[in-house]
Amino acid sequence: MTCRSDTAGCPEPLRPRPAPGTPERRESPLRPAGRPAGQGWDYSNTNYILAGMVIEKATGNSYASEVERRIIRPLGLRGTTVPGTSSSVPGPHGRHYSKLSVEGPAARAYDVTDFNPSVSGASGEMISTTRDLNVFIRALLRGKLLPPAQQKEMFTGRDLGDGRTYGLGIRSQTLKACGVKVWGHSSEIPGSLTRTAATADGEHVLTLNRNSDWGDPTLEQAAVEAEFCR
């Protein structure tokens, strides 16, 4: 089974994936698929987890070592790591707070900065900086990481309406305030959401971070439009 462009109907994990090397690693229960394969689009982290498993099968190396060899070292991403089961974050860094999905005014906010990201596998097991993310997206958009045929396929997006498309691991949005199209992605873990957006030529790039629990997505979008529509 291949999950491409989030149209394959791949189900999502119901709980975080266990750490690498544990017997439960590939037995996490899954939510039922949102729709039959090929009949619509749904974002699915499972696609990226499977992609990481394909990388390991095809190369005989870990996902982390291939990312380091092919991307982190060649681009000089000194602040980027694939930390495995380590929960520590290299400093200096901000702090992340979350109510851990508990609702109501009495819900306690926890400091979740120290977090084991291996639960995300290839869908999010990474620590980086705004500088490194800017360097990465610029190199990706300028064709420095993929052969031309794969680069073209990456940009071939599925129309999601409202000026948005989703390609292979990258999405675009035409900003309503000025008509500029930006490409990038966002990702979140408890307490933290990071978003990178850039023009197709990689000339103009923005990476921002906000609280993923109660940060205002409207203000996030306003910040993107303020940067690219000035």
Side-chain angles (χ1 to χ4, degrees), residues 127-197:
I127 296 173
S128 193
T129 65
T130 53
R131 178 264 178 195
D132 280 7
L133 288 171
N134 286 350
V135 170
F136 166 74
I137 195 68
R138 183 175 290 118
L140 180 66
L141 293 174
R142 290 179 174 178
K144 295 182 179 180
L145 296 177
L146 295 174
Q150 294 179 356
Q151 185 83 358
K152 180 180 179 180
E153 189 175 14
M154 179 185 73
F155 280 116
T156 304
R158 184 178 184 88
D159 185 4
L160 303 181
D162 199 29
R164 300 174 300 128
T165 68
Y166 200 99
L168 296 183
I170 194 168
R171 68 184 187 187
S172 74
Q173 180 184 40
T174 300
L175 302 178
K176 294 180 180 180
C178 59
V180 170
K181 177 181 283 191
V182 294
W183 294 84
H185 213 287
S186 62
S187 185
E188 63 181 282
I189 58 173
S192 177
L193 182 148
T194 298
R195 177 178 175 183
T196 296

Side-chain angles (χ1 to χ4, degrees), residues 62-80:
S62 69
Y63 158 75
S65 65
E66 288 299 316
V67 169
E68 291 166 0
R69 181 174 72 88
R70 296 168 182 263
I71 299 174
I72 293 177
R73 287 200 296 270
L75 295 182
L77 306 182
R78 297 182 298 275
T80 301

Side-chain angles (χ1 to χ4, degrees), residues 13-230:
L14 278 173
R15 66 169 183 255
R17 299 169 71 241
T22 61
E24 299 83 6
R25 171 76 177 218
R26 288 170 173 77
E27 296 178 2
S28 296
L30 300 173
R31 294 187 180 92
R35 65 184 81 233
Q39 297 184 21
W41 182 94
D42 290 291
Y43 179 84
S44 175
N45 285 304
T46 305
N47 297 347
Y48 297 93
I49 294 170
L50 290 172
M53 294 168 66
V54 170
I55 289 170
E56 293 177 351
K57 185 71 172 179
T59 66
N61 300 317
S62 69
Y63 158 75
S65 65
E66 288 299 316
V67 169
E68 291 166 0
R69 181 174 72 88
R70 296 168 182 263
I71 299 174
I72 293 177
R73 287 200 296 270
L75 295 182
L77 306 182
R78 297 182 298 275
T80 301
T81 59
V82 185
T85 59
S86 173
S87 62
S88 62
V89 181
H93 59 77
R95 305 208 67 82
H96 307 150
Y97 297 91
S98 173
K99 294 184 179 180
L100 302 177
S101 301
V102 178
E103 304 292 338
R108 176 184 172 187
Y110 295 88
D111 186 333
V112 293
T113 306
D114 293 333
F115 179 80
N116 180 347
S118 68
V119 298
S120 300
S123 70
E125 182 195 333
M126 189 168 291
I127 296 173
S128 193
T129 65
T130 53
R131 178 264 178 195
D132 280 7
L133 288 171
N134 286 350
V135 170
F136 166 74
I137 195 68
R138 183 175 290 118
L140 180 66
L141 293 174
R142 290 179 174 178
K144 295 182 179 180
L145 296 177
L146 295 174
Q150 294 179 356
Q151 185 83 358
K152 180 180 179 180
E153 189 175 14
M154 179 185 73
F155 280 116
T156 304
R158 184 178 184 88
D159 185 4
L160 303 181
D162 199 29
R164 300 174 300 128
T165 68
Y166 200 99
L168 296 183
I170 194 168
R171 68 184 187 187
S172 74
Q173 180 184 40
T174 300
L175 302 178
K176 294 180 180 180
C178 59
V180 170
K181 177 181 283 191
V182 294
W183 294 84
H185 213 287
S186 62
S187 185
E188 63 181 282
I189 58 173
S192 177
L193 182 148
T194 298
R195 177 178 175 183
T196 296
T199 51
D201 59 4
E203 187 67 27
H204 194 170
V205 185
L206 168 70
T207 295
L208 59 83
N209 178 267
R210 67 170 174 86
N211 183 279
S212 60
D213 280 35
W214 52 79
D216 189 341
T218 303
L219 294 178
E220 172 195 323
Q221 183 63 26
V224 172
E225 296 197 357
E227 176 65 26
F228 288 95
C229 295
R230 56 184 177 173

